[in-house]
Amino acid sequence: MRVWNRVRVLGPVILLFALTQAPVWATARPRHPAGLPWTANGASNGSVPWNIVVLLTLLTLIPALLLSMTPFVRLLVIFHFLRQSLGMQSTPSNQTLIGLSLILTYFLMQPIGERIYATSVVPLRKGSVDAVEAVERASPPMRDFMLKYARQKDLALFVDLAKEPRPSRPADLSMRVVVPAYMLSELKAGFQIGAVLFLPFLVIDLVVAAITTSIGMLQLPPVVISTPLKVLLFVMVDGWNLVVGSLMKSFA
């Protein structure tokens, strides 16, 4: 719930983008002289209101899709682990971490977005396909991306839960199976990387706690001394560059 509440701050931006793209829904469908989607006297036959309903429904699902079908989850989990390991509760702020995760997600997903635009959005704008077929054309690039990082164990779990026959190749898996398996795999990867980030800072905490306890400095909590040391170490090794660079390479 905390992650979901933080993602809700992206709603106005996504809504603004979707509204700027709204004319696509009106121009994508082919016009007929005396038939659908308009009658001969110019009256609507009801398809445009349904398009608006579908568009508004998709807008409510965009935050969930952003969380479940992109690297956003892994990046945000790792950045929160990093902040906790440094001993800082609110620096960087949640908005900063969400913004950084969003920008890095855009950086990673741009090639996938270009493929979807060429195979789905362009035909939709030309009117050669309808909205349903455009969504079907957009599925293979996203499926290929998620299958690249989804673990076989997670895929097998959801294949069994869905009671679907085992496919001959991964590309035959349905999105119903691929999406939750990908999200579980991303959570596992995020926790693994976060645990590795914790180790060097945990050593510093243990050393500082042992020294302060041995010299009898009980009136000063060890975390007060270890936090500046951890921040200093992180800055000296150019930690942000190392962390972000390693994360980007993990998706290569």
Side-chain angles (χ1 to χ4, degrees), residues 105-124:
T105 300
Y106 168 76
F107 178 83
L108 292 169
M109 297 300 295
Q110 184 181 12
I112 309 299
E114 291 177 351
R115 289 176 55 191
I116 294 175
Y117 181 83
T119 59
S120 178
V121 178
V122 172
L124 179 64

Side-chain angles (χ1 to χ4, degrees), residues 45-235:
N45 69 347
S47 62
V48 173
W50 275 111
N51 284 341
I52 295 176
V53 171
V54 172
L55 176 61
L56 294 178
T57 303
L58 290 176
L59 287 177
T60 62
L61 296 176
I62 285 177
L65 295 177
L66 178 67
L67 282 175
S68 59
M69 301 176 67
T70 66
F72 186 84
V73 171
R74 184 194 298 193
L75 297 173
L76 191 59
V77 167
I78 291 172
F79 289 146
H80 277 285
F81 266 99
L82 177 61
R83 186 175 66 179
Q84 293 294 327
S85 64
L86 287 173
M88 297 181 293
Q89 301 298 323
S90 59
T91 303
S93 63
N94 292 333
Q95 291 79 3
T96 302
L97 296 181
I98 292 174
L100 179 58
S101 301
L102 184 62
I103 294 299
L104 295 179
T105 300
Y106 168 76
F107 178 83
L108 292 169
M109 297 300 295
Q110 184 181 12
I112 309 299
E114 291 177 351
R115 289 176 55 191
I116 294 175
Y117 181 83
T119 59
S120 178
V121 178
V122 172
L124 179 64
R125 299 189 65 175
K126 291 180 179 179
S128 58
V129 298
D130 58 10
V132 176
E133 186 176 354
V135 173
E136 293 178 353
R137 291 191 176 191
S139 297
M142 290 300 304
R143 183 187 292 107
D144 294 341
F145 173 81
M146 289 186 289
L147 285 174
K148 187 177 180 180
Y149 303 103
R151 299 188 306 162
Q152 292 184 358
K153 183 178 180 180
D154 295 327
L155 292 172
L157 170 65
F158 284 99
V159 167
D160 294 337
L161 292 177
K163 294 180 173 33
E164 295 183 359
R166 291 184 178 271
S168 58
R169 57 195 182 103
D172 296 333
L173 289 169
S174 64
M175 296 294 283
R176 178 191 177 192
V177 171
V178 175
V179 173
Y182 169 78
M183 195 167 185
L184 282 185
S185 301
E186 288 295 281
L187 286 173
K188 179 178 175 59
F191 274 76
Q192 285 178 334
I193 300 174
V196 173
L197 288 175
F198 250 112
L199 293 179
F201 301 110
L202 178 61
V203 172
I204 295 178
D205 287 332
L206 292 175
V207 171
V208 171
I211 294 176
T212 55
T213 303
S214 62
I215 64 177
M217 191 183 297
L218 302 178
Q219 69 277 11
L220 188 63
V223 67
V224 177
I225 302 175
S226 63
T227 298
L229 295 177
K230 291 187 290 186
V231 174
L232 180 61
L233 174 64
F234 189 74
V235 173

